[in-house]
Amino acid sequence: MILNREFYQRDAVAVAKDLLGKVLVHETNEGITKGLIVETEAYMGTKDAAAHSYKSNPSGRTNVQYKEGGYAYIYLIYGMYYCMNIVTNEINIPEVVLLRALEPVDGIELMKKRRGTDKMINLCSGPGKLCAAMGINKDNYGMDLCSNQLYLEEAAVKNPIEVVASKRINIDYAGEAKDYLWRFTIKDNKFVSVKVK
DNA sequence: CGGAAGATTTCT
DNA sequence: GAAATCTTCCGA
């Protein structure tokens, strides 16, 4: 079952927690890939010094963040890797959830081909890696997650999930915001990206 | 218009 | 521990 618009129209922290255990699906010409979300981070727009939308105009790269929840915010980092975010909350509230790690579910051969590795644990354990494995790039920027190409769905089997909150990764420049516990992971899941502080 | 820096990954 | 590599943003 595909998650509906209402799911995304809440604050980013609530959505980030609820996204754990959901499945990200991307249908392409090459085939379909699915991954179980095991790690997320919330970025709370104007209240968060680490967010892209904290100090920039509601135009350019962050434009889509100001839409209502349920859209894909894709950006290129360090000139080499894409990161996928999910826009949350209402119109004109620039809050997003960064997807940091997935557990591969479907289309694993395709993921291996895209990533150039056979190691399951290495396919999606990081923001740049999961985008490469899922075939996500700037063409997906602003895509509606309530449509049928790139979307999220409930996991086929719902196992009980234990959520762990921790500090976010690689945002030391963000002042006091770097200590906010807005990173969420599934406890003891081995597909979570390895960097832990 | 030019420069600096970044939600990262990979190899040494 | 450092390089790879390019878009975006800010200051002049």
Side-chain angles (χ1 to χ4, degrees):
Chain A
M1 176 190 129
I2 297 178
L3 299 180
N4 61 20
R5 181 78 64 198
E6 285 71 29
F7 178 87
Y8 302 104
Q9 294 183 322
R10 297 176 291 151
D11 71 81
V13 171
V15 176
K17 286 184 202 168
D18 284 352
L19 279 173
L20 295 176
K22 298 294 189 292
V23 176
L24 177 68
V25 184
H26 190 201
E27 299 181 16
T28 69
N29 294 333
E30 297 178 284
I32 187 169
T33 46
K34 296 187 184 184
L36 186 78
I37 298 172
V38 299
E39 179 177 1
T40 62
E41 283 181 13
Y43 286 84
M44 300 293 279
T46 52
K47 289 178 291 203
D48 181 2
H52 288 159
S53 46
Y54 180 66
K55 266 175 117 179
S56 61
N57 297 327
S59 61
R61 174 168 66 163
T62 58
N63 204 13
V64 73
Q65 294 194 16
Y66 292 83
K67 298 189 76 161
E68 60 193 335
Y71 290 86
Y73 168 53
I74 314 291
Y75 69 93
L76 185 65
I77 187 63
Y78 299 111
M80 311 178 75
Y81 299 99
Y82 288 98
C83 294
M84 174 172 175
N85 300 250
I86 293 172
V87 179
T88 66
N89 224 314
E90 307 292 335
I91 286 180
N92 289 329
I93 303 181
E95 295 184 359
V96 299
V97 175
L98 169 67
L99 303 184
R100 290 195 54 88
L102 304 177
E103 175 179 336
V105 174
D106 254 340
I108 292 175
E109 290 308 312
L110 184 53
M111 289 186 186
K112 287 180 178 174
K113 180 180 151 198
R114 283 169 173 157
R115 293 276 298 116
T117 178
D118 277 340
K119 293 194 174 75
M120 285 283 293
I121 201 81
N122 202 26
L123 287 179
C124 300
S125 58
K129 296 183 196 173
L130 76 88
C131 283
M134 297 289 292
I136 291 168
N137 56 53
K138 67 182 182 193
D139 293 339
N140 297 289
Y141 181 92
M143 194 166 279
D144 187 357
L145 300 177
C146 295
S147 65
N148 58 7
Q149 186 182 347
L150 177 66
Y151 56 91
L152 288 97
E153 64 182 15
E154 294 286 348
V157 180
K158 282 190 192 172
N159 294 317
I161 288 171
E162 193 167 347
V163 175
V164 180
S166 56
K167 293 180 186 179
R168 289 176 293 174
I169 304 293
N170 281 346
I171 53 161
D172 290 345
Y173 59 87
E176 65 178 22
K178 77 182 197 305
D179 291 326
Y180 295 169
L181 297 176
W182 286 347
R183 176 184 185 231
F184 302 101
T185 55
I186 294 180
K187 186 177 167 67
D188 296 332
N189 187 291
K190 60 185 176 184
F191 291 96
V192 169
S193 66
V194 276
K195 269 187 183 171
V196 179
K197 286 193 178 177

